[in-house]
């Protein structure tokens, strides 16, 4: 699994597989799930992740590590 957080946009991407995405479905206004041909989840994208409380932890980015 690979997680990438984009703090400037408050978007969290969770990538579970490198399979090609064939279908996407919105689960709510801020959560989208992408599926592979075999029905497995490839990626989940969460908009306003921190603002909506779906990411209740503080993420460390490369920029904050270099500044410390």
């Amino acid at each position: 699994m690979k997680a990438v957080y984009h703090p400037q946009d408050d978007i969290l991407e969770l990538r579970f597989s490198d399979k090609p995405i064939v279908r996407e479905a919105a689960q709510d206004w801020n959560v989208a799930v992408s599926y592979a041909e075999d029905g497995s989840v490839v990626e989940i994208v969460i908009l306003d992740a921190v603002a909506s409380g779906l990411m209740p932890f503080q993420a460390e980015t490369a920029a904050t590590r270099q500044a410390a």
Side-chain angles (χ1 to χ4, degrees), residues 4-58:
V4 177
Y5 179 65
H6 304 276
Q8 67 278 13
D9 299 315
D10 194 13
I11 296 173
L12 177 63
E13 295 178 21
L14 303 171
R15 186 79 181 200
F16 301 101
S17 155
D18 290 329
K19 295 178 183 176
I21 295 170
V22 297
R23 184 173 64 92
E24 293 181 335
Q27 300 301 307
D28 202 351
W29 70 268
N30 65 331
V31 179
V33 180
S34 301
Y35 299 92
E37 181 87 29
D38 64 4
S40 63
V41 175
V42 175
E43 181 178 64
I44 298 175
V45 176
I46 303 170
L47 307 177
D48 291 339
V50 172
S52 64
L54 294 174
M55 194 172 111
F57 57 89
Q58 182 175 358

